[in-house]
Amino acid sequence: MDQQAKIDADFLEPTVLLDETHYQEGYINGYNDGLASGKEEGRQVGLKMGFQVGEELGFFQGCLDVWTSAILIDQNAFTARVRKNIEQLAALVGSYPLSDPENEQIQDVMEKIRLKFRVNTASLGAKLEYEGHPKSSKQDAEDL
């Protein structure tokens, strides 16, 4: 009987090895395909998020440019407190780490910018709010 068990084991061994080989090949192929598609998806998400952050920062910078221009035209256009808040907002926007997206403080800086912007608009009595990009712009970004 021992000889029969050995023959049966030898008979099944190539089948088991073939199954394991196919499993390993499938795993490697699936892993490589997932890695490639994951990188592409990550690139697209990064592009979209970068666009959105850039757009929001651009909105804040545009408001700063208008307020700064008003100050250049008329030094008394705003109170000293409002001018100080505008300068602080400009410093925050300027400190945003555009070239270091993995900076751990990036969300904190953006929250500070948003808060300072709200302080500025409230002190000016303006109802400005960044509401995201227009629908046409949003569709263009999704098409990327």
Side-chain angles (χ1 to χ4, degrees):
M1 279 294 190
D2 198 20
Q3 185 70 5
Q4 184 64 32
K6 186 176 181 182
I7 292 173
D8 287 344
D10 290 343
F11 172 74
L12 293 175
E13 187 174 348
T15 305
V16 171
L17 289 176
L18 182 63
D19 185 49
E20 182 64 25
T21 301
H22 285 298
Y23 173 80
Q24 288 298 327
E25 285 177 10
Y27 177 84
I28 290 169
N29 289 340
Y31 178 83
N32 290 335
D33 289 348
L35 191 61
S37 67
K39 282 183 180 180
E40 180 57 33
E41 184 177 336
R43 193 172 291 124
Q44 290 174 1
V45 169
L47 177 65
K48 183 177 179 182
M49 292 303 296
F51 179 83
Q52 290 172 347
V53 167
E55 185 179 45
E56 186 172 6
L57 286 172
F59 171 78
F60 296 137
Q61 185 61 54
C63 292
L64 280 168
D65 290 345
V66 170
W67 296 331
T68 303
S69 295
I71 292 170
L72 289 174
I73 292 170
D74 180 8
Q75 287 280 324
N76 298 320
F78 304 118
T79 65
R81 190 177 109 224
V82 171
R83 285 194 308 269
K84 181 180 174 189
N85 284 337
I86 291 170
E87 290 170 8
Q88 290 172 344
L89 179 61
L92 284 170
V93 170
S95 73
Y96 189 87
L98 286 173
S99 59
D100 188 12
E102 295 181 11
N103 187 323
E104 293 178 8
Q105 297 175 340
I106 204 163
Q107 291 298 329
D108 292 337
V109 173
M110 184 58 90
E111 284 303 314
K112 288 177 183 177
I113 291 170
R114 290 173 181 144
L115 180 61
K116 185 55 76 172
F117 181 79
R118 283 190 292 257
V119 167
N120 281 345
T121 56
S123 63
L124 290 170
K127 293 188 179 191
L128 284 174
E129 188 175 322
Y130 177 74
E131 298 176 2
H133 43 291
K135 296 196 183 322
S136 61
S137 214
K138 184 177 183 181
Q139 185 60 42
D140 292 343
E142 289 174 358
D143 290 342
L144 293 175

